[in-house]
Amino acid sequence: MIAALALGGIGALVALALWLARRLLAPVAATNADTLVDAVDALLPQTQCGQCGHPGCRPYAEAVVAGAPLDLCPPGGPDTAAALGELLGRVDAHDALAEPEAVVARIDPARCIGCALCLDACPVDAIAGASKYLHAVLSEHCTGCELCVPACPVDCIDMVMRESRAAHV
């Protein structure tokens, strides 16, 4: 009987120690994971374009920390994938991303009907305009994500090569 009480007491003490350890260490692990997600998110281009298959850069950062491929961000290109690999200390065996194309959206004023649907579609507010007025793309802000193209009901948005700044000098 004394042996059973002693074993029960030891078991209770071990259970209490495990419970305390879990309560004390869990916030540290969560904080470390959040810090890593923040670091990954800071490396992403913040276009919120969804081309990676996630609804934005933060959800993609969370997925990368959980093990998702590093090379799913076309706007970031191979430099971002390499920076993520360096941060996380891993190299993915996926095909390398090509350097992102230097394209921007261009709105044909003759076809634009001023519907303003492209304004909502642009994740970086690179389109200026208002309902029933002509719209214009602020090329210095456009990331070339192409999310405005399918939003246009009259197909007046085209993707064109970005003009180099040297051409204007």
Side-chain angles (χ1 to χ4, degrees), residues 57-150:
C57 293
R58 180 72 182 196
Y60 178 52
E62 292 167 352
V64 164
V65 169
L70 304 176
D71 60 353
L72 297 181
C73 180
D79 292 339
T80 297
L84 292 173
E86 186 176 324
L87 173 68
L88 299 172
R90 69 181 228 227
V91 177
D92 287 357
H94 300 285
D95 294 333
L97 279 174
E99 194 62 43
E101 287 187 47
V103 296
V104 294
R106 182 184 54 91
I107 297 175
D108 181 353
R111 294 185 292 169
C112 180
I113 60 172
C115 68
L117 293 174
C118 58
L119 299 176
D120 293 332
C122 182
V124 293
D125 293 330
I127 301 176
S131 184
K132 299 181 184 170
Y133 289 95
L134 179 65
H135 297 72
V137 176
L138 306 173
S139 61
E140 63 274 7
H141 297 293
C142 181
T143 63
C145 72
E146 300 183 22
L147 291 176
C148 56
V149 174

